[in-house]
Amino acid sequence: MIQLAPSILSADFSRLAEGVGMIERGGAHLIHVDVMDGHFVPNISFGSTVMKSLNGKTKMPYDVHLMIEDPDKYLEDFVTDQTEYITVHQEACIHLNRTVQHIRSLGVKAGVALNPATPLCVLDYILEDVDMVLIMSVNPGFGGQKFIPYTLEKIRKLRSMLNEAGLSTDIQVDGGISAANVRDVLDAGANVIVAGSAVFKNDAAANTREFLEIFSQYQER
Ligand code: DX5
Ligand code: ZN
């Protein structure tokens, strides 16, 4: 199943619940929560209190993307009844196996993210233990950047690694995705699509519906 996870990083924070209401009305599946610490990435976004301010205001599950150093320290803070995924960066985890087990022990699905320049081979010994791999298609830190084309090849390779291993792990793609290029990432094998600026510009409900329309045409093929 193809899912849309709009990133609230591009929402108007002064009217966050309204923005989330728009994507929910449009039919979005997940809320992508971009947490940045100013160390792992050169920008600071928000922490768990902002995410938790949405508790009970939406039925959509949280898809937490931690762009922070030493994520183990903060995992518990992001666990709520609505938290479906917590994704950590391979580059930020010294003991990735331990961190992934830690996430799962909290009753949450575990994701591992790779920066554009990080090779897929870092996943060789962890693939069976993760629920989702996030292929970054921009260098993390900011919304509204340009999609890096070589990441398509990385998604294709990852999907064939998973198929060979008999795994149906989710592949998420994040950064620079719009209605104009989303078919390319679907073709390559991604099934959880993050979009920030493309959803939250102008009418977020209409933009969400446009993505979902493309997904359903794609699934009917
Ligand atoms: C990048 C973040 C993304 C970003 C996506 O560091 O992880 O989730 O907000 O925004 P767009 O879709 O505008 O590239
Ligand atoms: Zn993200």
Side-chain angles (χ1 to χ4, degrees):
M1 169 174 170
I2 303 171
Q3 293 190 293
L4 183 69
S7 167
I8 54 171
L9 185 66
S10 299
D12 176 349
F13 290 154
S14 71
R15 299 184 308 153
L16 188 55
E18 254 176 73
V20 165
M22 305 261 280
I23 60 170
E24 186 154 39
R25 275 201 298 288
H29 304 92
L30 297 160
I31 303 177
H32 187 76
V33 178
D34 279 314
V35 180
M36 305 179 179
D37 67 354
H39 293 275
F40 179 68
V41 290
N43 191 16
I44 299 176
S45 59
F46 52 79
S48 60
T49 36
V50 169
M51 181 190 90
K52 286 173 174 167
S53 74
L54 296 169
N55 286 355
K57 297 216 164 71
T58 166
K59 291 206 164 52
M60 287 180 293
Y62 299 135
D63 164 38
V64 181
H65 178 194
L66 295 180
M67 288 162 276
I68 63 175
E69 285 179 2
D70 207 357
D72 281 83
K73 270 199 207 159
Y74 304 98
L75 293 176
E76 274 82 355
D77 294 350
F78 289 92
V79 178
T80 71
D81 292 347
Q82 282 178 252
T83 309
E84 179 154 350
Y85 294 96
I86 296 181
T87 296
V88 293
H89 270 262
Q90 182 275 334
E91 303 87 355
C93 295
I94 297 170
H95 304 289
L96 183 59
N97 180 287
R98 177 181 288 147
T99 305
V100 163
Q101 303 309 329
H102 185 176
I103 296 170
R104 283 185 155 181
S105 77
L106 298 169
V108 172
K109 292 181 187 163
V112 171
L114 303 185
N115 283 335
T118 301
L120 292 173
C121 61
V122 299
L123 298 171
D124 281 355
Y125 297 98
I126 196 88
L127 212 47
E128 298 213 344
D129 297 320
V130 303
D131 300 289
M132 181 161 79
V133 176
L134 166 49
I135 299 293
M136 288 304 304
S137 42
V138 298
N139 291 296
F142 304 93
Q145 301 182 80
K146 209 169 156 306
F147 183 86
I148 299 174
Y150 72 68
T151 56
L152 285 175
E153 174 61 15
K154 215 169 152 184
I155 298 167
R156 272 194 287 273
K157 274 198 187 140
L158 175 60
R159 187 50 83 196
S160 73
M161 274 166 69
L162 290 168
N163 288 343
E164 265 171 44
L167 297 168
S168 55
T169 312
D170 291 317
I171 300 181
Q172 184 171 57
V173 61
D174 182 5
I177 313 268
S178 66
N181 65 5
V182 68
R183 290 177 188 83
D184 298 340
V185 298
L186 296 172
D187 277 336
N191 68 302
V192 185
I193 309 302
V194 178
S197 45
V199 167
F200 284 100
K201 58 156 205 249
N202 310 320
D203 184 340
N207 296 330
T208 300
R209 275 187 223 106
E210 186 182 7
F211 271 99
L212 294 199
E213 184 56 34
I214 295 171
F215 294 178
S216 62
Q217 286 166 4
Y218 193 88
Q219 277 163 325
E220 279 162 17
R221 290 190 321 176

